[in-house]
Amino acid sequence: MSHEVRTPLNGIVGFTSLLFDTQLTPEQREYVQTIRTSGEALIQLTGDILDFSRIESGHLQLDATPCDLRANIEDALDIFASRAAEKGVQLLHWVDHDVPSQLMVDGGRLRQVVINLVGNAVKFTSTGEIEVTVRKLTGKSVSLLRLTMARKGS
């Protein structure tokens, strides 16, 4: 089902991007941007719904491959940089020095989690800053990474 839903949405987003390369009035440009942003949101929502369905049915498969953690987080933050800047909100990130650069994780899922968290933070923060922090937690027999989000401002 994901293909049947995502294909037309990708078409909408793709053609609005092409439309941006034509001569548009400022008002038309604003309308096309709204269509593109809405299409991207629907693609994300569709993916989230499909993932939730897979989780509930026990069919979600994780693909652990080498992933550059810092680049993954920076890429996710880049998506929201212009929207945050328009609102006067700073996007920050900090990865502790003892966190390895390369991890065996599902990089796509990690990116999706960061995108969801940062997207909500940008949406609900009107001033101040948003910071993504990654720390290594070490217990008796296991080491985990902890990803935290902090919003400062309103």
Side-chain angles (χ1 to χ4, degrees), residues 26-103:
E27 183 178 27
Q28 290 170 327
R29 203 166 265 297
E30 183 180 332
Y31 294 160
V32 171
Q33 177 61 40
T34 300
I35 293 168
R36 184 168 68 179
T37 302
S38 298
E40 290 169 347
L42 282 172
I43 290 170
Q44 181 67 41
L45 180 62
T46 301
D48 292 347
I49 291 169
L50 292 169
D51 286 345
F52 186 72
S53 175
R54 287 185 198 112
I55 290 169
E56 279 190 330
S57 67
H59 290 98
L60 180 68
Q61 301 237 336
L62 298 177
D63 184 24
T65 57
C67 172
D68 183 329
L69 175 68
R70 287 163 180 83
N72 191 300
I73 290 172
E74 289 171 5
D75 289 346
L77 291 175
D78 284 347
I79 292 170
F80 300 100
S82 63
R83 195 174 325 160
E86 287 172 6
K87 295 176 78 173
V89 174
Q90 283 188 292
L91 289 179
L92 308 169
H93 70 285
W94 176 261
V95 179
D96 277 353
H97 68 279
D98 61 342
V99 174
S101 292
Q102 292 287 319
L103 300 173

Coordinates of all heavy atoms in Angstrom, one line a residue, residues 26-103:
P26 N 4.9 36.6 -6.8 CA 5.1 36.3 -5.4 C 3.9 35.6 -4.8 O 4.1 34.6 -4.0 CB 5.3 37.7 -4.7 CG 5.8 38.5 -5.8 CD 5.1 38.0 -7.1
E27 N 2.7 35.9 -5.1 CA 1.5 35.2 -4.6 C 1.5 33.8 -5.0 O 1.3 32.9 -4.2 CB 0.3 36.0 -5.0 CG -1.0 35.4 -4.4 CD -2.2 36.1 -4.8 OE1 -2.2 36.8 -5.9 OE2 -3.2 36.1 -4.0
Q28 N 1.8 33.5 -6.3 CA 1.8 32.2 -6.8 C 2.9 31.4 -6.2 O 2.7 30.2 -5.8 CB 2.0 32.2 -8.4 CG 0.8 32.7 -9.1 CD 1.1 32.9 -10.6 OE1 2.3 33.3 -10.9 NE2 0.1 32.7 -11.4
R29 N 4.1 32.0 -6.0 CA 5.2 31.3 -5.3 C 4.8 30.9 -3.9 O 5.1 29.8 -3.5 CB 6.4 32.3 -5.3 CG 7.7 31.6 -5.2 CD 8.8 32.6 -5.5 NE 9.3 32.6 -6.8 CZ 9.9 31.6 -7.4 NH1 10.0 30.5 -6.8 NH2 10.3 31.6 -8.7
E30 N 4.1 31.7 -3.2 CA 3.6 31.4 -1.9 C 2.7 30.2 -1.9 O 2.8 29.3 -1.1 CB 2.9 32.6 -1.2 CG 2.5 32.4 0.2 CD 1.8 33.6 0.8 OE1 2.2 34.7 0.3 OE2 1.0 33.4 1.7
Y31 N 1.7 30.2 -2.9 CA 0.8 29.1 -3.0 C 1.5 27.8 -3.3 O 1.2 26.7 -2.7 CB -0.2 29.4 -4.1 CG -1.2 30.5 -3.8 CD1 -1.9 31.1 -4.8 CD2 -1.4 31.0 -2.5 CE1 -2.7 32.2 -4.6 CE2 -2.2 32.0 -2.3 CZ -2.9 32.6 -3.3 OH -3.8 33.7 -3.0
V32 N 2.5 27.8 -4.3 CA 3.2 26.6 -4.6 C 4.0 26.1 -3.4 O 4.1 24.9 -3.2 CB 4.1 26.9 -5.9 CG1 5.0 25.7 -6.1 CG2 3.3 27.2 -7.1
Q33 N 4.6 27.0 -2.7 CA 5.4 26.6 -1.5 C 4.4 25.9 -0.5 O 4.8 24.9 0.1 CB 6.1 27.8 -0.8 CG 6.8 27.5 0.4 CD 7.9 26.4 0.2 OE1 8.6 26.5 -0.8 NE2 8.1 25.5 1.2
T34 N 3.3 26.4 -0.3 CA 2.3 25.8 0.6 C 1.9 24.4 0.1 O 1.8 23.5 0.9 CB 1.0 26.7 0.7 OG1 1.4 28.0 1.3 CG2 0.0 26.1 1.7
I35 N 1.7 24.3 -1.2 CA 1.4 22.9 -1.7 C 2.5 22.0 -1.5 O 2.3 20.8 -1.1 CB 1.1 23.1 -3.3 CG1 -0.2 23.8 -3.5 CG2 1.0 21.7 -3.9 CD1 -0.5 24.2 -4.9
R36 N 3.7 22.4 -1.8 CA 4.9 21.6 -1.6 C 5.1 21.2 -0.1 O 5.3 20.0 0.2 CB 6.2 22.2 -2.1 CG 7.4 21.3 -2.1 CD 8.6 21.7 -2.8 NE 9.1 22.9 -2.2 CZ 10.2 23.5 -2.7 NH1 10.8 23.1 -3.8 NH2 10.7 24.6 -2.1
T37 N 5.0 22.1 0.8 CA 5.1 21.8 2.2 C 4.1 20.9 2.7 O 4.3 19.9 3.4 CB 5.1 23.2 3.0 OG1 6.1 24.0 2.5 CG2 5.3 22.9 4.5
S38 N 2.9 21.1 2.2 CA 1.7 20.2 2.6 C 2.0 18.8 2.0 O 1.7 17.8 2.7 CB 0.4 20.7 2.1 OG 0.2 22.0 2.7
G39 N 2.5 18.7 0.8 CA 2.7 17.4 0.2 C 3.8 16.7 1.0 O 3.7 15.5 1.2
E40 N 4.9 17.4 1.3 CA 6.0 16.8 2.1 C 5.4 16.3 3.5 O 5.8 15.2 3.9 CB 7.1 17.8 2.3 CG 7.9 18.0 1.0 CD 8.8 19.2 1.1 OE1 8.8 20.0 2.1 OE2 9.7 19.4 0.2
A41 N 4.6 17.1 4.1 CA 4.0 16.7 5.4 C 3.1 15.4 5.2 O 3.2 14.5 6.1 CB 3.1 17.8 6.0
L42 N 2.4 15.3 4.1 CA 1.6 14.1 3.9 C 2.5 12.9 3.6 O 2.1 11.8 4.1 CB 0.6 14.4 2.7 CG -0.6 15.2 3.0 CD1 -1.3 15.5 1.7 CD2 -1.5 14.5 3.9
I43 N 3.6 13.1 2.9 CA 4.5 12.0 2.7 C 5.0 11.5 4.1 O 5.1 10.3 4.3 CB 5.6 12.4 1.8 CG1 5.1 12.6 0.4 CG2 6.8 11.3 1.8 CD1 6.1 13.2 -0.6
Q44 N 5.4 12.4 4.9 CA 5.9 12.1 6.2 C 4.8 11.4 7.1 O 5.1 10.3 7.7 CB 6.4 13.3 7.0 CG 7.0 13.0 8.3 CD 8.3 12.2 8.3 OE1 9.1 12.5 7.5 NE2 8.4 11.3 9.2
L45 N 3.7 11.9 7.1 CA 2.5 11.3 7.8 C 2.2 9.9 7.3 O 2.0 9.0 8.1 CB 1.3 12.3 7.7 CG 0.1 11.8 8.5 CD1 0.3 11.7 10.0 CD2 -1.1 12.7 8.2
T46 N 2.2 9.8 6.0 CA 1.9 8.4 5.4 C 3.0 7.4 5.9 O 2.6 6.3 6.3 CB 1.9 8.5 3.9 OG1 0.9 9.5 3.5 CG2 1.7 7.2 3.3
G47 N 4.2 7.8 5.9 CA 5.3 7.0 6.3 C 5.1 6.6 7.8 O 5.3 5.5 8.2
D48 N 4.8 7.6 8.6 CA 4.6 7.4 10.0 C 3.5 6.4 10.3 O 3.6 5.5 11.1 CB 4.3 8.7 10.8 CG 5.5 9.6 10.8 OD1 6.6 9.2 10.5 OD2 5.3 10.8 11.2
I49 N 2.3 6.6 9.6 CA 1.2 5.7 9.7 C 1.6 4.3 9.3 O 1.2 3.3 10.0 CB 0.0 6.2 8.9 CG1 -0.5 7.5 9.5 CG2 -1.1 5.1 8.8 CD1 -1.6 8.2 8.7
L50 N 2.2 4.1 8.2 CA 2.6 2.8 7.7 C 3.6 2.1 8.7 O 3.5 0.9 9.0 CB 3.2 2.9 6.3 CG 2.2 3.2 5.2 CD1 3.0 3.6 3.9 CD2 1.2 2.1 5.0
D51 N 4.5 2.9 9.2 CA 5.5 2.4 10.2 C 4.8 1.9 11.5 O 5.0 0.9 12.1 CB 6.6 3.4 10.6 CG 7.6 3.6 9.5 OD1 7.6 2.7 8.6 OD2 8.3 4.6 9.5
F52 N 3.8 2.7 12.0 CA 3.0 2.4 13.1 C 2.3 1.1 12.9 O 2.2 0.2 13.8 CB 2.1 3.5 13.5 CG 1.3 3.3 14.8 CD1 2.0 3.4 16.0 CD2 0.0 2.9 14.8 CE1 1.3 3.2 17.2 CE2 -0.7 2.7 16.0 CZ 0.0 2.8 17.2
S53 N 1.7 0.9 11.7 CA 1.0 -0.3 11.4 C 2.0 -1.5 11.4 O 1.6 -2.6 11.9 CB 0.4 -0.1 10.0 OG -0.2 -1.3 9.6
R54 N 3.2 -1.3 10.9 CA 4.2 -2.4 10.9 C 4.6 -2.7 12.3 O 4.8 -3.9 12.6 CB 5.4 -2.0 10.1 CG 5.2 -2.0 8.6 CD 6.5 -1.7 7.8 NE 6.2 -1.3 6.5 CZ 6.3 -0.1 6.0 NH1 6.9 0.9 6.7 NH2 6.0 0.2 4.8
I55 N 4.7 -1.7 13.2 CA 5.1 -1.9 14.6 C 4.0 -2.8 15.2 O 4.3 -3.7 15.9 CB 5.4 -0.6 15.3 CG1 6.6 0.0 14.8 CG2 5.5 -0.8 16.8 CD1 6.8 1.5 15.2
E56 N 2.8 -2.3 15.1 CA 1.7 -3.0 15.7 C 1.6 -4.5 15.3 O 1.2 -5.4 16.1 CB 0.3 -2.3 15.4 CG 0.1 -1.1 16.3 CD -1.3 -0.6 16.1 OE1 -1.9 -0.8 15.0 OE2 -1.9 -0.1 17.1
S57 N 1.8 -4.7 14.0 CA 1.7 -6.1 13.5 C 3.0 -6.9 13.7 O 3.0 -8.1 13.4 CB 1.4 -6.1 12.0 OG 2.5 -5.6 11.2
G58 N 4.0 -6.3 14.2 CA 5.3 -7.0 14.5 C 6.1 -7.2 13.2 O 7.0 -8.1 13.2
H59 N 5.8 -6.5 12.2 CA 6.5 -6.6 10.9 C 7.6 -5.5 10.6 O 8.1 -5.5 9.5 CB 5.5 -6.7 9.8 CG 4.8 -8.0 9.8 ND1 3.5 -8.1 10.3 CD2 5.1 -9.2 9.4 CE1 3.0 -9.3 10.2 NE2 4.0 -10.0 9.6
L60 N 7.8 -4.7 11.6 CA 8.8 -3.6 11.3 C 10.2 -4.3 11.4 O 10.6 -4.9 12.3 CB 8.7 -2.5 12.4 CG 9.7 -1.4 12.2 CD1 9.4 -0.6 11.0 CD2 9.8 -0.5 13.4
Q61 N 10.9 -4.1 10.3 CA 12.3 -4.6 10.2 C 13.3 -3.5 10.3 O 13.2 -2.5 9.6 CB 12.5 -5.3 8.9 CG 11.5 -6.5 8.7 CD 12.1 -7.8 8.4 OE1 13.3 -7.8 7.9 NE2 11.5 -8.8 8.7
L62 N 14.3 -3.6 11.2 CA 15.3 -2.6 11.3 C 16.5 -3.1 10.5 O 16.8 -4.3 10.4 CB 15.7 -2.5 12.8 CG 14.6 -1.9 13.7 CD1 15.1 -1.9 15.1 CD2 14.1 -0.6 13.2
D63 N 17.2 -2.2 9.8 CA 18.3 -2.5 9.0 C 19.6 -1.9 9.6 O 19.9 -0.7 9.3 CB 18.0 -1.9 7.6 CG 19.1 -2.3 6.6 OD1 19.8 -3.3 6.8 OD2 19.3 -1.6 5.6
A64 N 20.2 -2.6 10.5 CA 21.4 -2.1 11.1 C 22.6 -2.1 10.2 O 23.1 -3.2 9.7 CB 21.7 -2.9 12.4
T65 N 23.1 -0.9 9.8 CA 24.2 -0.8 8.9 C 25.1 0.3 9.5 O 24.6 1.1 10.4 CB 23.8 -0.4 7.5 OG1 23.0 0.8 7.6 CG2 23.0 -1.5 6.8
P66 N 26.4 0.4 9.1 CA 27.2 1.5 9.6 C 26.6 2.9 9.3 O 26.1 3.1 8.2 CB 28.5 1.4 8.9 CG 28.5 -0.1 8.4 CD 27.1 -0.4 8.2
C67 N 26.5 3.7 10.3 CA 25.9 5.1 10.1 C 26.7 6.1 10.8 O 27.2 5.9 11.9 CB 24.5 5.0 10.8 SG 23.6 6.6 10.9
D68 N 26.9 7.2 10.1 CA 27.7 8.3 10.7 C 26.7 9.2 11.5 O 25.8 9.9 10.9 CB 28.3 9.2 9.6 CG 29.1 10.4 10.1 OD1 28.8 10.9 11.2 OD2 30.1 10.8 9.4
L69 N 26.7 9.0 12.8 CA 25.7 9.6 13.7 C 25.7 11.1 13.5 O 24.6 11.7 13.4 CB 26.0 9.3 15.2 CG 25.2 9.9 16.2 CD1 23.7 9.4 16.1 CD2 25.7 9.7 17.6
R70 N 26.8 11.8 13.6 CA 26.8 13.2 13.5 C 26.2 13.7 12.2 O 25.5 14.7 12.1 CB 28.3 13.7 13.7 CG 28.7 13.6 15.1 CD 30.2 13.7 15.3 NE 30.7 13.6 16.7 CZ 30.8 12.5 17.3 NH1 30.6 11.3 16.7 NH2 31.2 12.5 18.6
A71 N 26.6 13.1 11.1 CA 26.1 13.5 9.8 C 24.6 13.3 9.7 O 23.8 14.1 9.1 CB 26.8 12.7 8.6
N72 N 24.1 12.2 10.3 CA 22.7 11.9 10.3 C 21.9 13.0 11.0 O 20.9 13.4 10.5 CB 22.5 10.5 11.0 CG 21.1 9.9 10.8 OD1 20.2 10.5 11.2 ND2 21.0 8.7 10.3
I73 N 22.4 13.4 12.2 CA 21.7 14.4 12.9 C 21.8 15.8 12.2 O 20.8 16.5 12.1 CB 22.3 14.5 14.3 CG1 21.9 13.3 15.2 CG2 21.9 15.8 15.1 CD1 22.6 13.1 16.5
E74 N 23.0 16.1 11.6 CA 23.1 17.3 10.9 C 22.2 17.4 9.7 O 21.6 18.4 9.4 CB 24.6 17.5 10.5 CG 25.5 17.9 11.7 CD 26.9 17.9 11.3 OE1 27.3 17.7 10.1 OE2 27.7 18.0 12.3
D75 N 22.1 16.3 9.0 CA 21.1 16.2 7.8 C 19.7 16.4 8.3 O 19.0 17.2 7.6 CB 21.3 14.9 7.1 CG 22.6 14.7 6.4 OD1 23.3 15.7 6.2 OD2 22.9 13.5 6.0
A76 N 19.3 15.8 9.4 CA 17.9 16.0 9.9 C 17.7 17.5 10.3 O 16.7 18.1 10.0 CB 17.7 15.1 11.0
L77 N 18.7 18.1 10.9 CA 18.5 19.5 11.3 C 18.5 20.4 10.1 O 17.8 21.5 10.1 CB 19.7 19.9 12.3 CG 19.7 19.3 13.6 CD1 20.9 19.7 14.4 CD2 18.4 19.7 14.4
D78 N 19.3 20.1 9.1 CA 19.3 20.9 7.8 C 17.9 21.1 7.2 O 17.6 22.1 6.7 CB 20.2 20.3 6.8 CG 21.7 20.6 7.1 OD1 22.0 21.4 8.0 OD2 22.5 19.9 6.5
I79 N 17.0 20.1 7.4 CA 15.7 20.1 6.8 C 14.9 21.3 7.4 O 14.1 21.9 6.8 CB 15.0 18.8 7.1 CG1 15.6 17.7 6.2 CG2 13.5 18.9 6.8 CD1 15.2 16.3 6.6
F80 N 15.1 21.6 8.7 CA 14.4 22.6 9.4 C 15.1 23.9 9.6 O 14.5 24.8 10.2 CB 13.9 22.0 10.8 CG 13.1 20.8 10.7 CD1 13.7 19.5 10.9 CD2 11.8 20.9 10.3 CE1 12.9 18.4 10.7 CE2 11.0 19.7 10.2 CZ 11.6 18.5 10.4
A81 N 16.3 24.0 9.1 CA 17.1 25.2 9.3 C 16.4 26.5 8.8 O 16.3 27.5 9.6 CB 18.4 25.1 8.6
S82 N 15.8 26.5 7.6 CA 15.2 27.7 7.1 C 13.9 28.0 7.9 O 13.7 29.2 8.2 CB 15.0 27.6 5.6 OG 14.0 26.6 5.3
R83 N 13.1 27.0 8.2 CA 11.9 27.3 8.9 C 12.2 27.8 10.3 O 11.5 28.7 10.8 CB 11.1 26.0 9.0 CG 9.7 26.2 9.5 CD 8.8 25.0 9.4 NE 9.0 24.1 8.4 CZ 8.7 22.9 8.4 NH1 8.0 22.4 9.4 NH2 9.0 22.1 7.4
A84 N 13.2 27.3 11.0 CA 13.6 27.7 12.3 C 14.1 29.2 12.2 O 13.8 30.0 13.1 CB 14.7 26.8 12.9
A85 N 15.0 29.5 11.2 CA 15.5 30.8 11.1 C 14.4 31.8 10.8 O 14.5 32.9 11.4 CB 16.5 30.8 9.9
E86 N 13.4 31.5 10.1 CA 12.3 32.4 9.8 C 11.6 32.8 11.1 O 11.1 33.9 11.3 CB 11.2 31.7 8.9 CG 11.7 31.6 7.5 CD 10.7 30.8 6.6 OE1 9.6 30.4 7.1 OE2 11.0 30.6 5.4
K87 N 11.6 31.8 12.1 CA 10.9 32.1 13.4 C 11.9 32.7 14.4 O 11.5 33.0 15.5 CB 10.4 30.7 13.9 CG 9.3 30.1 13.1 CD 8.9 28.8 13.7 CE 8.0 29.0 14.9 NZ 7.4 27.7 15.4
G88 N 13.2 32.8 14.0 CA 14.1 33.3 15.0 C 14.6 32.3 16.0 O 15.0 32.7 17.1
V89 N 14.4 31.0 15.7 CA 14.8 30.0 16.6 C 16.1 29.3 16.1 O 16.3 29.1 14.9 CB 13.7 28.9 16.6 CG1 14.1 27.7 17.4 CG2 12.4 29.4 17.1
Q90 N 17.0 29.2 17.1 CA 18.3 28.6 16.7 C 18.2 27.0 16.9 O 17.6 26.5 17.8 CB 19.4 29.0 17.7 CG 19.9 30.4 17.4 CD 21.1 30.7 18.3 OE1 20.9 30.8 19.5 NE2 22.3 30.8 17.7
L91 N 18.8 26.3 15.9 CA 18.9 24.9 16.0 C 20.4 24.5 16.4 O 21.3 24.9 15.7 CB 18.6 24.2 14.7 CG 17.1 24.2 14.2 CD1 17.0 23.6 12.9 CD2 16.3 23.6 15.2
L92 N 20.5 23.8 17.5 CA 21.9 23.5 17.9 C 21.9 21.9 18.1 O 20.9 21.3 18.3 CB 22.1 24.1 19.3 CG 21.9 25.6 19.4 CD1 21.9 26.1 20.8 CD2 22.9 26.4 18.6
H93 N 23.1 21.4 18.1 CA 23.3 20.0 18.4 C 24.7 19.8 19.1 O 25.6 20.6 18.8 CB 23.2 19.1 17.2 CG 24.3 19.2 16.2 ND1 24.4 20.3 15.4 CD2 25.3 18.4 15.9 CE1 25.5 20.1 14.6 NE2 26.0 19.0 14.9
W94 N 24.7 18.8 19.9 CA 26.0 18.5 20.6 C 26.0 17.0 20.7 O 25.1 16.3 21.2 CB 26.0 19.1 22.0 CG 27.2 18.7 22.8 CD1 27.2 17.7 23.8 CD2 28.5 19.2 22.7 NE1 28.5 17.7 24.3 CE2 29.3 18.6 23.6 CE3 29.0 20.2 21.9 CZ2 30.6 18.8 23.8 CZ3 30.4 20.5 22.1 CH2 31.2 19.8 23.0
V95 N 27.2 16.4 20.3 CA 27.4 15.0 20.5 C 28.7 14.9 21.3 O 29.7 15.4 20.9 CB 27.6 14.3 19.1 CG1 27.9 12.8 19.3 CG2 26.4 14.5 18.2
D96 N 28.5 14.3 22.5 CA 29.7 14.1 23.4 C 30.8 13.4 22.7 O 30.7 12.6 21.8 CB 29.3 13.3 24.6 CG 28.6 14.1 25.7 OD1 28.6 15.4 25.6 OD2 28.1 13.5 26.7
H97 N 32.1 13.8 23.1 CA 33.3 13.3 22.5 C 33.4 11.8 22.6 O 34.1 11.1 21.7 CB 34.5 14.0 23.0 CG 34.8 13.6 24.5 ND1 34.1 14.2 25.5 CD2 35.6 12.7 25.0 CE1 34.6 13.7 26.6 NE2 35.5 12.8 26.4
D98 N 32.8 11.1 23.6 CA 33.0 9.7 23.7 C 32.0 8.9 23.0 O 31.9 7.6 23.0 CB 33.0 9.3 25.2 CG 31.7 9.7 25.9 OD1 30.9 10.5 25.4 OD2 31.5 9.1 27.0
V99 N 31.1 9.5 22.2 CA 30.1 8.9 21.4 C 30.8 8.5 20.0 O 31.3 9.5 19.4 CB 28.9 9.7 21.1 CG1 27.9 9.1 20.1 CG2 28.1 10.0 22.4
P100 N 30.9 7.3 19.6 CA 31.5 6.9 18.4 C 30.9 7.6 17.2 O 29.7 7.8 17.2 CB 31.4 5.4 18.3 CG 30.8 5.0 19.5 CD 30.3 6.1 20.3
S101 N 31.7 8.0 16.2 CA 31.1 8.6 15.0 C 30.3 7.6 14.2 O 29.3 7.9 13.6 CB 32.2 9.1 14.1 OG 32.9 10.2 14.7
Q102 N 30.8 6.4 14.0 CA 30.1 5.3 13.3 C 29.4 4.4 14.3 O 30.0 3.9 15.2 CB 31.1 4.5 12.4 CG 31.7 5.3 11.3 CD 30.8 5.5 10.2 OE1 30.0 4.7 9.8 NE2 30.8 6.7 9.6
L103 N 28.1 4.1 14.0 CA 27.4 3.2 14.8 C 26.7 2.2 13.9 O 26.4 2.5 12.7 CB 26.3 4.0 15.6 CG 26.7 5.1 16.5 CD1 25.5 5.8 17.1 CD2 27.5 4.4 17.7

